[in-house]
Amino acid sequence: MKHVLAALLGLYVGIGAAQAAEPKADSADAFLARAKTAAEFDFPGTLVRICVAPQTAPGADVAPAPPPARDTWYTEPAQVFDNLYFVGTKIHSSWALTSSRGIILIDTLYDYASDEAIVGGLKKLGLDPAAVKYVIVSHGHLDHVGGAKLMQDRFGSRIVMGGPDWDMIEHQVNRFPNGKPKRDIVATDGQKVTLGEGSVTLVATPGHTPGTLSMIFQVKDHGRPLTVAYNGGTAFNFVNDVPHFDTYIASQRKMAKTAADAGATILMTNHSEFDNAVTKIRMMAARKPGEPHPFEIGADAVARYFKVTEACAELARWKLQQAAK
Ligand SMILES: [Zn+2]
């Protein structure tokens, strides 16, 4: 936490100085100022990760590192809305959307965490893991697809993932020492995954990976319906060239429009670093009747999230273009 705060402090001080000097419209300072303005104090983690921290390269096709100690990732599962339950870790999110016909699970963590956090978490919450009929994997990186094989093998859950990401994991030789999920449902843009009254609309947002899926779905807070915009991939650990950033930026704009058209007032992602899910879940314990739900940030803040990702990607693209001159 300390280093994040230090980075933020440096960033805000830096921006303050830059603003005083009126940055040129087409400059690193201008892109950063736009991102910082959009982030306000809602999305510091996203801002620091993609606008400030050094970019990370795509991961190589090597065997994963040994699992970290349990106390670095374990956190209690929780009911967050009438029909949405958190079964993730301190770092990664997995969400269970419940309906009268079963459960739609969104993302499956690393494989080392999936049995205890998802299967154990559902049981702890009084839910039946065998009721998970669909598993939507936002993208094929190990921290989201890790438990898909377990859900497929043990409970017969249908696995939904973008076609290019099915291809991606099938081509990987070393990354899945414990096996991969078998190719199942290939997601299409605009597809609805429906179970009883529960439904998730998939939005193809290539960029973070070629098959990244974002989502729109409805939750209820004491019976009041609210719409969630779920951003399926955020960091820039893809091939860093201009065409990849063009794709990423187009997807963020597309998802911003989709979220606005759907009236989304909640923004979720698959890393707590980006949406503060674990912190907000802790805050829920102190929520008094009549107070807003910690996840309900409003349509303006949802729109600002996508301005952060867009401006930071534009900054990264601009740097590449400058370097090529
Ligand atoms: Zn990823």
Side-chain angles (χ1 to χ4, degrees):
M1 197 61 194
K2 257 189 199 150
H3 63 283
V4 173
L5 289 175
L8 263 180
L9 193 62
L11 176 70
Y12 282 97
V13 169
I15 291 296
Q19 276 175 337
E22 289 285 324
K24 280 199 306 174
D26 185 21
S27 70
D29 285 343
F31 288 117
L32 196 53
R34 255 177 51 211
K36 179 251 165 186
T37 302
E40 293 187 12
F41 287 98
D42 294 302
F43 309 113
T46 307
L47 183 69
V48 168
R49 174 68 182 276
I50 61 175
C51 254
V52 180
Q55 298 310 329
T56 45
D61 182 11
V62 296
R70 179 181 178 277
D71 66 354
T72 64
W73 58 264
Y74 184 80
T75 189
E76 289 295 317
Q79 181 172 12
V80 174
F81 288 97
D82 302 359
N83 59 334
L84 192 72
Y85 296 75
F86 178 83
V87 287
T89 67
K90 285 177 187 168
I91 301 145
H92 300 99
S93 297
S94 175
W95 293 99
L97 183 71
T98 58
S99 79
S100 55
R101 303 284 298 275
I103 297 170
I104 299 173
L105 188 76
I106 300 172
D107 275 337
T108 63
L109 318 172
Y110 275 114
D111 67 346
Y112 62 75
S114 56
D115 204 347
E116 182 169 8
I118 298 174
V119 179
L122 289 170
K123 286 181 185 163
K124 236 178 173 175
L125 294 165
L127 300 168
D128 179 6
V132 176
K133 304 298 178 201
Y134 291 105
V135 173
I136 304 171
V137 178
S138 63
H139 64 274
H141 286 159
L142 288 182
D143 47 350
H144 310 291
V145 74
K149 177 178 163 54
L150 180 158
M151 297 305 296
Q152 186 175 58
D153 289 354
R154 203 183 295 173
F155 304 111
S157 310
R158 302 292 308 271
I159 312 296
V160 184
M161 189 157 68
D165 283 22
W166 280 117
D167 296 343
M168 180 174 82
I169 70 168
E170 281 169 6
H171 289 131
Q172 288 166 348
V173 178
N174 303 309
R175 279 195 150 179
F176 293 84
N178 303 320
K180 309 170 184 182
K182 288 188 291 291
R183 182 181 283 253
D184 192 7
I185 298 172
V186 177
T188 55
D189 189 32
Q191 183 178 0
K192 287 186 193 306
V193 178
T194 300
L195 200 56
E197 73 283 14
S199 187
V200 177
T201 302
L202 306 179
V203 186
T205 50
H208 179 71
T209 64
T212 295
L213 300 174
S214 294
M215 298 161 221
I216 299 284
F217 55 92
Q218 216 169 62
V219 293
K220 288 194 170 167
D221 179 33
H222 300 302
R224 196 165 61 99
L226 295 165
T227 301
V228 177
Y230 183 100
N231 199 33
T234 306
F236 299 163
N237 51 337
F238 44 80
V239 176
N240 275 208
D241 60 20
V242 170
H244 278 83
F245 277 105
D246 287 344
T247 301
Y248 181 101
I249 291 163
S251 288
Q252 295 307 295
R253 289 177 183 159
K254 173 185 176 182
M255 191 54 196
K257 182 175 185 324
T258 308
D261 290 349
T265 56
I266 295 168
L267 185 284
M268 287 182 171
T269 73
N270 39 23
H271 288 250
S272 252
E273 177 184 9
F274 303 133
D275 65 2
N276 305 313
V278 170
T279 308
K280 288 183 176 184
I281 289 167
R282 288 200 192 109
M283 286 163 62
M284 288 187 59
R287 184 188 183 201
K288 298 188 183 70
E291 283 186 352
H293 193 290
F295 279 84
E296 191 185 352
I297 57 176
D300 168 67
V302 172
R304 285 191 287 101
Y305 182 84
F306 293 105
K307 288 286 168 207
V308 177
T309 54
E310 181 189 326
C312 292
E314 286 177 338
L315 169 60
R317 181 177 64 181
W318 181 84
K319 284 180 182 167
L320 287 169
Q321 288 164 334
Q322 295 304 304
K325 276 183 182 170

